[in-house]
Amino acid sequence: VYYSLLVAALYLSSSSSSFHAAAQQTVVPNVTQVLTEAGNFTTFLAVAGAANVTQALQSFIGANNTAGATAFIPVDSAFTSEVVAAYGNLSAANQSLVLYYHVVPRFYNATEVLTLSNVATLASGNSSSAFRLRAVNKSSSGVITIYGNLNSANVTNKTVNVTAFPIAIHPIDTVLLPKEIFGTPPPA
């Protein structure tokens, strides 16, 4: 009887502490829901869903809740017919890398994002130099431009900050194309 009571007490103690720890954890926002509510990301969500990237991003954000994330998400008009054709010709792995190239594994709000310089993206993986965003600039008219290693994109709307969890979504007008996949640009 004593042994049964001891086992029951240990079980209840561990269940209670597990429940208490779970209750204290930060609730990770649903990436798809946040982008859907922010609007104008239908094409990105479709492309990311087809490449299983939204599920991977959700897992990354859930595991990385101390550093957060910053995403430069192309708006629907950024997916021109040329971009869609070029993207469609890529392998599944390269399609995922293009999408991961738009996410920095650290939270930068609208002011902090201006300090970015040669920053790694999720596509960088363990590489010290591949798939990096070169810089961010703010023009005198207030336009924020993100410079990739092959092209650039302008932030189109107000940044969406998820305050309960450190995520910043910066809508951009162009799909960023990494040179590691698309090669070097032709001479001007």
Side-chain angles (χ1 to χ4, degrees), residues 121-188:
T121 64
L122 285 183
S124 300
N126 294 328
S127 172
S128 61
S129 62
F131 294 100
R132 297 178 83 79
L133 297 178
R134 290 185 302 124
V136 176
N137 185 35
K138 186 174 183 176
S139 71
S140 58
S141 63
V143 176
I144 297 174
T145 303
I146 312 302
Y147 293 92
N149 60 18
L150 187 58
N151 65 342
S152 62
N154 295 321
V155 175
T156 62
N157 293 320
K158 183 180 175 196
T159 297
V160 177
N161 286 316
V162 180
T163 55
F165 194 85
I167 299 173
I169 299 168
H170 304 278
I172 56 175
D173 65 356
T174 305
V175 176
L176 294 169
L177 305 173
K179 71 178 178 186
E180 293 83 358
I181 293 173
F182 292 98
T184 56

Side-chain angles (χ1 to χ4, degrees), residues 26-175:
T26 304
V27 175
V28 178
N30 180 298
V31 173
T32 303
Q33 182 180 350
V34 169
L35 289 174
T36 300
E37 290 173 3
N40 206 13
F41 301 115
T42 306
T43 306
F44 179 85
L45 285 169
V47 169
N52 294 320
V53 168
T54 48
Q55 185 177 15
L57 288 176
Q58 188 69 43
S59 296
F60 164 78
I61 291 168
N64 189 38
N65 59 17
T66 56
T70 301
F72 301 99
I73 305 295
V75 296
D76 289 338
S77 61
F79 289 90
T80 64
S81 58
E82 294 85 6
V83 168
V84 170
Y87 180 84
N89 288 328
L90 298 175
S91 68
N94 281 344
Q95 288 178 351
S96 295
L97 286 172
V98 169
L99 299 175
Y100 291 142
Y101 185 60
H102 290 79
V103 181
V104 175
R106 183 168 176 257
F107 174 76
Y108 293 95
N109 65 28
T111 303
E112 295 167 333
V113 77
L114 297 173
T115 66
L116 291 181
S117 176
N118 195 31
V119 67
T121 64
L122 285 183
S124 300
N126 294 328
S127 172
S128 61
S129 62
F131 294 100
R132 297 178 83 79
L133 297 178
R134 290 185 302 124
V136 176
N137 185 35
K138 186 174 183 176
S139 71
S140 58
S141 63
V143 176
I144 297 174
T145 303
I146 312 302
Y147 293 92
N149 60 18
L150 187 58
N151 65 342
S152 62
N154 295 321
V155 175
T156 62
N157 293 320
K158 183 180 175 196
T159 297
V160 177
N161 286 316
V162 180
T163 55
F165 194 85
I167 299 173
I169 299 168
H170 304 278
I172 56 175
D173 65 356
T174 305
V175 176

